[in-house]
Amino acid sequence: MTAIELCNEAARRGLRLEPAGDKLAVIPAKRCPPEFADVLRQHKQEILDWLENCASRLRPDEMPWLHVARQVLAGEFDGGDSSTRESVTIGLRSVAHPLCQCALERLKTLGKRNR
């Protein structure tokens, strides 16, 4: 199931899903069946990303860049070559989201370090 399908299913069950930092809040939690809670856990990051995208009103083509920004901030591009960093920089520049801006700053710092 996709994040939107899971959010719709949660709503159908009378549940509300909200981001709570890096956690996914299910409200009211006691009404969430254990098997559905397991499915939500399996798709937690996808749901959190989707909820964040909705809140920030990103276009659908911009949404994947939040995942890339998280990867950059987690150091997953630290060993990448300059061409890879430049490609990621170009993509992130087009997204007006604070997470993408932080990732751009990290890439800029990496570029200076690797000169």
Side-chain angles (χ1 to χ4, degrees):
M1 294 182 90
T2 66
I4 191 166
E5 290 170 333
L6 289 167
C7 289
N8 287 337
E9 178 61 21
R12 189 187 71 70
R13 294 171 182 249
L15 303 169
R16 192 172 75 248
L17 304 179
E18 292 183 1
D22 63 346
K23 296 184 177 168
L24 178 64
V26 180
I27 303 164
K30 62 184 165 199
R31 289 190 49 207
C32 185
E35 67 279 352
F36 188 59
D38 289 340
V39 172
L40 294 174
R41 276 187 211 95
Q42 291 170 0
H43 297 278
K44 179 182 93 166
Q45 192 57 57
E46 180 186 353
I47 295 167
L48 287 172
D49 290 347
W50 187 80
L51 290 170
E52 182 178 355
N53 293 337
C54 290
S56 63
R57 303 189 188 244
L58 293 178
R59 295 186 323 256
D61 63 315
E62 294 174 327
M63 292 178 185
W65 287 105
L66 288 182
H67 177 72
V68 174
R70 284 190 188 87
Q71 288 177 305
V72 169
L73 294 170
E76 294 181 30
F77 285 86
D78 288 4
D81 61 24
S82 61
S83 175
T84 300
R85 284 193 310 274
E86 183 60 26
S87 294
V88 172
T89 297
I90 291 167
L92 289 171
R93 272 189 208 135
S94 66
V95 183
H97 188 279
L99 199 60
C100 293
Q101 302 310 306
C102 290
L104 282 169
E105 287 301 315
R106 180 170 172 79
L107 287 169
K108 188 188 307 183
T109 302
L110 284 173
K112 288 178 183 176
R113 251 192 270 159
N114 292 328
R115 285 185 190 166

